[in-house]
Amino acid sequence: MTVLRIAAAAAHFGRDLEFDLARVAKLIADARGAGAGLLVLPDAALGGYLADLRRPDPDALPPALKPDDAVIARVAALAAEMVVCVGFCEDGGDARYNAAVCVSGDGVLGLHRKVHLPAGETAAYAPGDRFEAFDTPAGRIGMLIDYDKTFPESARSLALGGAQILACLSAWPTSVTNRAPRMAQDRQSRLFDLYDQARAAENQVVLASSNQTGVMGGMRFLGQAKVVGPGGDVLARTWSKAGLAVAEIDVAAEIDRARRILHHIRERRPDAYRETPT
């Protein structure tokens, strides 16, 4: 048995990179204290998310960093023996990307650029164009950034690439257009949990879902970090409060158990799937 402790964070981050790094350091220390080998931090943990999803101010965007920036190197140094996934705004030269990087003390292990951009984000970011799983000391991982997980094809692409753990990094707010009086009644709150459990269950993989908390501009973030097993069962969660959801799981054994009778990946019928012209 190879048991892994996985931690998913719910926390607030803003534009001040030194503040963000101090919070990252505290969350890494807390996760290490809990025995975690993998920590998934939220989308935009380095520099904060957009303040307005409908009309982003081009003069108030998060600071753009290259994957080899000293800020990311500091996160890698803090990670040391752990594997840490963290979201940031990537400086892609002629474009910005809403991106996530996976690091350890050995450096960058994987990079993902958010593929599916909601309408407001297209004013601030260019879309990524691929989903790629990669090997880490914590196992084979694939990353998704918030809206990516709305699309089943995203997680399925990573599962087909051998990912056993999906790291879903989010800055997922309550409904922008129809906010409920209580967060538990909010449509986006329900969808956030639904997508987490569905993506894990349909691919029979482990999923670690992080999210921002607090307020940024006109948006209030949900929190609701969690670790989900390959049967879609929530193993640990933070609800709406800041903190760490930590679960211990033998990833390979639990995936094998989930796939023992019904093996979703192996029993696919790609020849029967057709795109209907619009």
Side-chain angles (χ1 to χ4, degrees):
M1 292 178 62
T2 304
V3 174
L4 175 69
R5 282 201 174 193
I6 300 172
H12 177 69
F13 297 89
R15 292 286 182 267
D16 186 333
L17 285 172
E18 287 302 320
F19 171 89
D20 294 339
L21 282 166
R23 179 147 290 175
V24 166
K26 176 66 164 58
L27 288 165
I28 288 176
D30 289 347
R32 179 175 287 116
L38 170 64
L39 169 64
V40 180
L41 295 166
D43 175 27
L46 300 175
Y49 189 57
L50 304 177
D52 187 336
L53 192 55
R54 288 179 286 190
R55 290 177 296 277
D57 182 352
D59 297 322
L61 298 178
L65 309 171
K66 291 189 178 294
D68 61 356
D69 191 277
V71 170
I72 290 174
R74 286 171 67 180
V75 177
L78 289 166
E81 81 291 351
M82 292 173 57
V83 174
V84 176
C85 300
V86 61
F88 71 110
C89 173
E90 182 191 353
D91 178 357
D94 57 354
R96 287 169 170 253
Y97 298 93
N98 188 344
V101 68
C102 184
V103 300
S104 72
D106 293 328
V108 174
L109 305 173
L111 173 72
H112 174 60
R113 292 170 171 173
K114 184 176 179 180
V115 172
H116 300 98
L117 304 181
E121 274 198 22
T122 60
Y125 301 116
D129 60 6
R130 70 195 66 183
F131 295 95
E132 293 181 332
F134 51 92
D135 293 319
T136 79
R140 191 160 177 83
I141 292 175
M143 293 190 290
L144 302 171
I145 298 175
D146 45 46
Y147 195 40
D148 282 337
K149 72 181 177 186
T150 302
F151 299 85
E153 298 88 347
S154 306
R156 179 54 51 86
S157 296
L158 293 170
L160 290 172
Q164 293 185 306
I165 302 170
L166 301 184
C168 298
L169 300 84
S170 293
W172 196 295
T174 57
S175 177
V176 174
T177 56
N178 188 25
R179 185 168 295 174
R182 296 178 57 210
M183 189 177 291
Q185 299 169 332
D186 190 89
R187 176 175 178 270
Q188 290 301 323
S189 175
R190 295 194 302 272
L191 288 174
F192 187 81
D193 285 347
L194 173 65
Y195 294 144
D196 284 339
Q197 293 179 260
R199 297 297 88 90
E202 67 197 6
N203 293 292
Q204 298 171 306
V205 295
V206 176
L207 183 146
S209 175
S210 61
N211 197 17
Q212 293 237 18
T213 60
V215 175
M216 183 79 169
M219 289 186 294
R220 179 187 177 199
F221 298 107
L222 293 169
Q224 298 178 200
K226 66 184 72 65
V227 180
V228 186
D233 46 321
V234 176
L235 306 178
R237 66 185 308 157
T238 65
W239 301 102
S240 62
K241 295 182 179 180
L244 291 176
V246 182
E248 184 174 275
I249 183 170
D250 186 328
V251 175
E254 289 303 315
I255 290 175
D256 286 346
R257 190 187 332 270
R259 296 177 178 178
R260 187 170 299 158
I261 304 300
L262 299 176
H263 194 302
H264 300 168
I265 299 298
R266 189 173 60 210
E267 292 161 357
R268 293 166 60 250
R269 291 287 306 280
D271 55 314
Y273 308 144
R274 297 285 185 272
E275 291 189 5
T276 303
T278 56

